[in-house]
Structure formats: C-alpha cells, structure tokens
Amino acid sequence: MDPAREIVEIQVGIADLKLTREPGRLITLGLGSCVGVSLYDPIIKVGGLLHVMLPDSTQFNNVHKPSKFADTGIPLMIKELQKFGARVNRLQAKLVGGAQMFSGLDEKMTLNIGLRNTQKSREMLSQFNIRILAEDVGGNRGRTMIVDTSNGDVTIRTMGNKLKVI
Amino acid sequence: MDALKEISNIGMGNAVTSLAQLVNRRIDMNVPLTRFMPLDETISLVGGPEEIVSCVSLNISGDVPGMVLFIFDSQSTFQMVDLLMGMNLGTTADLDEMAESAVKEIGNVLTGSFIGALCQMTQLNMVTAVPMFAFDMLGAILTSLMVASGRVEDHVLVIQTQLFQEKEVNIKGNFFLLTEPGSIQVLFKALGLAVE
C-alpha cells in the first residue's frame, strides 16, 4: 500500500455499516441514543464501524436493514470483516454513544434506548468472545466517532469539548 | 399539497401571534417550505448531523396521537432568549439553566398555540404533554427522537418557518409533526381536506 496515498474518510450513515483498510478512516456523525460499534483487527489493520439504532430486531416484523440492530448488525459486521481477511479471535471492539439526549420528564422517553443499545451490543460481542477495549457511552451528549484503521484509535467529538481518543 | 399549506398557515400564524405577545414585539413570519419527508432526510434540510440546534418536543395524545418538535439553529436560539429576557440582541452566547427554560417556554407557547388552533378548527381533541428539551448535535437529537417515538421509517410533516422582526431579528425554526400511522388522515378529514 502506498503510504503517500491520501487518507480516505468513509461516512457511515444512520443504521449503516462500512469497512475499510489502513490507512482509511470511518466516521459516523451525531450519535445520540444510537451506538457506534467499531471492530478492528490489529494484525491486518482492517476495521469496521456499525451505527446501531435499535437493540433487538426480533421485536419487528420486517427487517430490511440488519445493520440497524445490534443483534443482527454485529454478526453481519463480523462476517464482512472475515471476507476482508480478519479473524474473530483478533478483533477488538470499541463502543461510543448510547446517550439519553432529552431532559424533562416524559414516560415514553424513559425507556432509555441508549442504555439498551449499549447493553445489547456488549452482549452480542461477548457471544463472539470479542474483547471491548474501550467505551465512551451514556451521559446526555451527542457524539461523533472516527475510527482510524492505521492503529485502531477512536476519536470522539462532542459539543464544546476537546477531542477525546480511546 | 394544499392541506399542508392550510395546516401550516393556521397553526404557525397562531403560534407566531402568541410569540409576539410573549415578547411584546411585532413579529413577521414566512413559511418557505411545507412538506412530508422521511425523518432522516430532514437532517440535511435543517443543517448537517453535527449542526448544534435546540429542540423542544412534546408528545400529543387524544384524537391525533403523535409528537411535535420545534428545532432552532443555535443563533436563532440565542436570539429567542435575548428577545424573551428583554436583553440586547447578541447578549446570549451559551445556554445556562435560565436560558434553557426560556427556550422551553417559547417552544411550549408555539406548540400550544399551533395545536390549539388546529383543535379549534377541527373540533378534535389534542392534548400536549410536558416539553422535553435538548441542545446538541442535530443528528443525535433527531435519531434519538425517531427511535424513542418508534417512528423510524415514517414520513413527518415539516414546516420551515422564518420569524422576522425588522432587520436585526431573523429566527429560523423548523416545526415537525410526527403522527401515528393513520392519524394524519384524521386531521385532514377534520379540516375538510381531500385525503388520498
């Protein structure tokens, strides 16, 4: 791979999944209650980023987009990474997002989807024995997540704060 | 669609009148856009996913169950706080607790009079709940609301609104009405408008 090549930043949309190789970057903007799950194989330097919107696909009748849910999106990402040559036992996970964005009381909103997205993602990863290397989850702030496939670093941007690297 | 124009004229007209009374100034209004669109497309309409906005949202119960939201970009938000608190424009540059409750109150007034106008016209019963508030990235706010309301794939009614007061005030707001499947037809019918 040509090191002088310009670094490509690939956007991962809402309920979307993208993979790339070194030195590419994966970015997803404005995670609220959604959770960004990154998986990285440090040996072959391949990474994936999944934008999880909901925890559980079994609660829905028509699932058009498996990448929308933690329970279907994570296995899909693993499968796709394997096509890139990644090995499951080398994969390292990082979780970002899962916030509770709104203040003010309303019963319908207390279901805290952010927390459920985070918990389901953790549960799915542990099913595959994938280690979670770092997390920046919960709270009440929106986050932008950038995955650097050259070293697996995840950079987090929030309103009015300095960049955070995990 | 004429039905949408009708709803926005009735609703927003009333809302802006209430706001003018609240801040005790004359306020003019312009509605550049009214349409139905998927909620995720509304993100690029308002700004980008990382655009900082304020959002006041209220659940509606009754004959037309759903949710209403008002979204304002950060500059418009600060201008509204200055207007409501009677401060010189440009004073507010950040949201403290006081400013936050000011925005919430404005959202409450706008929504209340919007819904009130619709109820009066249609004789339908629509009740709004306590306002919820967020000031953060647009993408984070909208996706969280989509998920929490369970209306991930539905279209929403978007009414873009510009509020003016002479030259110095220019508030850009977006009013969203999310209804449960079928209930927008109830509203159209009650307004005596054709339903597809």
Side-chain angles (χ1 to χ4, degrees), chain B residues 25 74-95 165 168-171:
Chain B
R25 289 183 192 222
S74 52
Q75 281 315 311
S76 301
T77 305
F78 300 151
Q79 284 194 352
M80 287 195 302
V81 175
D82 289 338
L83 275 181
L84 187 68
M85 317 267 266
M87 297 184 292
N88 290 330
L89 286 171
T91 309
T92 304
D94 199 5
L95 287 194
Q165 192 241 328
E168 64 266 38
V169 180
N170 183 4
I171 295 170

Side-chain angles (χ1 to χ4, degrees), chain A residues 72-129:
Chain A
T72 46
I74 288 173
L76 177 69
M77 175 158 58
I78 293 167
K79 217 168 89 189
E80 294 295 319
L81 281 166
Q82 284 173 321
K83 288 184 196 161
F84 269 62
R87 295 253 192 88
V88 180
N89 59 10
R90 293 196 302 238
L91 290 176
Q92 302 169 340
K94 289 181 183 176
L95 300 183
V96 173
Q100 172 81 294
M101 298 298 298
F102 281 81
S103 69
L105 289 172
D106 199 301
E107 275 176 33
K108 271 193 180 166
M109 298 293 169
T110 53
L111 305 159
N112 206 341
I113 311 259
L115 181 64
R116 282 164 54 208
N117 279 334
T118 308
Q119 284 170 341
K120 191 72 187 178
S121 300
R122 286 180 189 145
E123 190 191 310
M124 291 309 298
L125 291 166
S126 84
Q127 276 184 25
F128 288 91
N129 289 316

